[in-house]
Amino acid sequence: MKQLLSKADPYRPFKIEILERRQEVKDTFTLKLDVPLKHDPGQFVQLSIPGIGECPISISSYSSSFLELTIHEIGMVTNTLSKLKKGDTIFVRGPYGKGYPMKETKGKNLVLIGGGCGVAPLKGVVSYLDKHRHDYGTIDLFFGYRSPEHILFKDEMPTWKELYKLNVSVDKAPTGGCYTGNVGFITQLLEKSQLSPQRNAAMLCGPPVMMKFCIDILQKKGFHEDQIYISAERLMYCAFGECCHCMIKGKFTCLDGPVFRYDQIKEDLNEEH
Amino acid sequence: MKSTKPTVGFYSITGCAGCLLSFIFNEKEIVQMTKLVTIVSFPFIHESAEIKEVDVAFMEGLVASPEDEEVLKEVRKKAKTLVALGACAHTACIPGYRHFVPKDSYARLMYEKLHKIKTIEPGPIDKYVQVDFTIPGCPPNKREIIKSVVNLCLKKQLKNYTSPVCVECRRNNNRCLLEENRICLGPITRGGCNAICTNSHFECWGCRGPTDDMNLPAFIELLEGKGFTKRDIRERIIAFSGQKNPKVLEVLP
Amino acid sequence: MAVYVLKKGDLEKFLLFLGKQGELIAPVKKDEVRFEPLKDPTDLYLDEQTYIPAKQYFFPQEQVLFTFQDDMIIPVVAPIKKRIFFGLRRCDLAAIQHQDIAFGEHNDPHYKKLRKSTILIGYQCTKKLHHWCFCGSMDLPDFYDLMFFEQEHHYQIDVGSAQGETLLKKSKLCRKTVVRISKEQKIVPDTNLLQRKDLGKHYSSKAWDSLVKKCISCAACTTLCPTCYCHEIKDDVPVSLKEVQRKRTWSSCQLKEFSGVAGNYTFRESRSSRFKHRIFHQLQYFREKHGVDLCVGCGRCIKHCPPRIDFIKVINKL
């Protein structure tokens, strides 16, 4: 296990080979990289292609032999990343940031709530839980996607169903399709659930609006703000607290986050007011 | 770096050909550039004006006559990517000023034979066809042209510079011309030109078009505070990019 | 530390001496005053604040971090020049110290490379240089190798470091004195303009909005700021497609794209949130993290703001 951090120059990335490229859904793919990276679930790396640029990508695996990154094609770098194949090389530095508090929540029940590609870092948490299942109580997974076509990690779902309470919902499903699961926002499933705040911690990742509604529901169910952890997204260049683009008021998403305890960040999240 | 070798065509409608020259003026890089792309059409290089199928078409000039419109639509049909090259194509530039003045006010100044030319309302090319990318400026920045060609070859998403001219101008350590009480449009004009005019102490006339984020009312208030009339300000803004700055006419009718 | 004396008439000789020790950079007036290599000692101009601060000598507008050559990373190797800065004001010096904190925290080699082998010689203001100087509110430290205090016929030179004193001795133009620099000499009169307060409570105040209405988003405030250090990283590809350069360039929180993420979402969209971010980073956030304000009270961001947005007045009224 190692870390891809240069002491001589914090900007310097390391060349890494792609072991495998999997298309997850239409606009999302996973790169499996040949590096046993020592990291916490919820941390991220800076991924770059010379000439195209660099961008932060959260880690979606937890393994001592490889690193997986599930990437949503949305910007210039991710569009180019999607064209890479097995055997190509890319540049990586990291890991960076604070991940989900796996040690602090040991012995507790967990609720993982993810929306769209926000499920990717939570998959890293789930992989961690796979290996440390006995350290935790009940584990509820709530994963929401736009449509059946957008559901990520279908191959993992049978295992997840066995080990955890898996809830999946899609916002919309075409009538007459073969999808037979839940339809509606993930918030509806969350609302219906019998979650108890006792000895529980919630870990969220997804679009800001989705997280906001989920937090409201959790609070109605009696969760305290310090039991809720969210992952924030911001524009980032350096990833080590120097370029200042990721500041959320005085906090740095790359150093103090991307995972924040909700009570410590909620006042700052909306900088427009 | 991996790259493909795209076919590229340069075409020209009403304009001064200065934008095409800006491409050629990359003396150091032009030979290497021909290794990156296959130039299938270029008015100064190829005699024939035939419009061919290309990966990327660079279109110089504005639409000011029915023929312009025809050529433009043909180019669009045959190009996978259409790039508006220069201010005429982007904003209709100085020739587009005709849009803001009644013909009676200038007809007497025209040569006899000009009256016979069939004209239409002058407009930027995106008024007629879909434009995929714009390289702004009168003339366009020659480095920016190279960058676009390189990015096209790398299939890197083309992205416009969005900050105002002021940013580059002050990074170049220039004195602010507004401080000298001159109408400099730097604050409302998108940069990427490396502040070429203000570097030479000539105020920005806004040839690269307005920034998306401009605060026009505050800018007008600032200039009025310096003693300029609404008319001065309006004329300056519409000179190069009036058609891309409809807010001006709302604020300064 | 020791104090030396230099006769006013010997300043030119002293500057010539400095020019032989390394590249001498000092305020020079053309259309504006800038820190420039001083070719002729008579070009030295100390009557105004420099329009451009010294920042760009250590944190350039654009800097190549390294080059990719066929998938290999090649560091930038450049000889390190010895540079001597003369005529830095107390605010300019503090700004360098604060940037040292910002970049030093991460052991940034690209900043360090340009920053080391530098001698900083300050020049204490005896009166405020312009209407918006507010260094008196900022509690600026002594941070220099040498600091000049002007007297009627001579300069008192306060020694701030061993390398500063070595330089003085080597010049053979100065003599040691028993006189000490008083506290009062280090304070510029009438510059205590800004009332210091915990801004944290005032983020949502409507008072900011009246200012922001006038902002034309030209980013002059951040570009001319001696401490603003926010930056972005971009790759530059030459026509040869070889030797891709990864570059660091200045950026400005006053521009919308500063906080925009892929998918077309901007976290600080309104001019008011951008404006407040600058003020808060300068006068609140940096202090929360490093125990010292980033801002040094030089007032350039007000003096050179085209609509002259005076945030001091607003903060004082909060």
Side-chain angles (χ1 to χ4, degrees), chain A residues 51 234 240 242 245 271-272, chain C residues 106 108 203 235 251 269-270:
Chain A
R234 287 292 185 281
F240 49 84
E242 190 178 85
H245 277 259
E271 291 175 80
E272 294 289 357
Chain C
H106 310 289
D108 189 289
Y203 189 88
D235 282 8
S251 58
E269 171 114 34
S270 69

Side-chain angles (χ1 to χ4, degrees), chain B residues 139-187:
Chain B
N141 179 302
K142 60 180 193 172
R143 311 288 320 165
E144 222 176 9
I145 301 177
I146 294 195
K147 218 172 150 186
S148 312
V149 172
V150 167
N151 288 350
L152 283 165
C153 294
L154 297 175
K155 295 210 171 4
K156 184 171 168 178
Q157 200 178 323
L158 299 171
K159 234 174 137 184
N160 268 122
Y161 188 92
T162 51
S163 311
V165 172
C166 296
V167 172
E168 287 167 301
C169 182
R170 285 207 182 74
R171 278 180 200 170
N172 292 344
N173 293 352
N174 294 333
R175 179 191 172 88
C176 179
L177 296 175
L178 290 169
E179 292 286 302
E180 294 185 3
N181 277 345
R182 290 162 65 179
I183 306 188
C184 180
L185 299 188

Side-chain angles (χ1 to χ4, degrees), chain C residues 137-281:
Chain C
S137 312
M138 302 312 295
D139 197 18
L140 302 181
D142 286 346
F143 182 76
Y144 42 74
D145 292 300
L146 298 170
M147 187 80 172
F148 274 56
F149 291 83
E150 191 178 341
Q151 303 291 316
E152 201 178 344
H153 301 295
H154 65 276
Y155 300 103
Q156 291 173 336
I157 309 172
D158 190 31
V159 171
S161 76
Q163 72 166 352
E165 186 160 23
T166 311
L167 198 66
L168 284 186
K169 283 182 182 159
K170 199 176 166 193
S171 78
K172 297 199 177 89
L173 291 163
C174 311
R175 67 175 168 80
K176 209 167 181 171
T177 167
V178 290
V179 179
R180 286 292 166 267
I181 306 294
S182 69
K183 250 189 189 165
E184 290 68 39
Q185 278 179 281
K186 294 181 177 178
I187 293 166
V188 189
D190 307 322
T191 56
N192 190 6
L193 301 182
L194 178 76
Q195 292 167 20
R196 305 313 316 279
K197 49 185 83 167
D198 179 14
L199 292 180
K201 290 177 268 181
H202 301 290
Y203 189 88
S204 303
S205 167
K206 289 271 169 284
W208 302 104
D209 298 343
S210 62
L211 289 184
V212 178
K213 255 189 213 153
K214 294 201 289 178
C215 174
I216 53 171
S217 294
C218 68
C221 44
T222 53
T223 317
L224 299 175
C225 176
T227 62
C228 276
Y229 63 96
C230 298
H231 52 264
E232 54 192 37
I233 314 290
K234 290 220 166 104
D235 282 8
D236 215 358
V237 190
V239 195
S240 64
L241 305 189
K242 286 181 188 120
E243 297 190 19
V244 170
Q245 292 179 320
R246 183 150 292 174
K247 284 179 177 170
R248 159 157 95 188
T249 54
W250 291 1
S251 58
S252 170
C253 58
Q254 297 308 293
L255 304 171
K256 231 184 195 173
E257 67 251 31
F258 187 89
S259 63
V261 290
N264 224 355
Y265 189 85
T266 305
F267 287 94
R268 283 186 295 275
E269 171 114 34
S270 69
R271 242 178 279 280
S272 135
S273 61
R274 289 180 253 158
F275 182 84
K276 284 191 278 189
H277 182 77
R278 174 172 73 89
I279 304 298
F280 276 68
H281 193 190

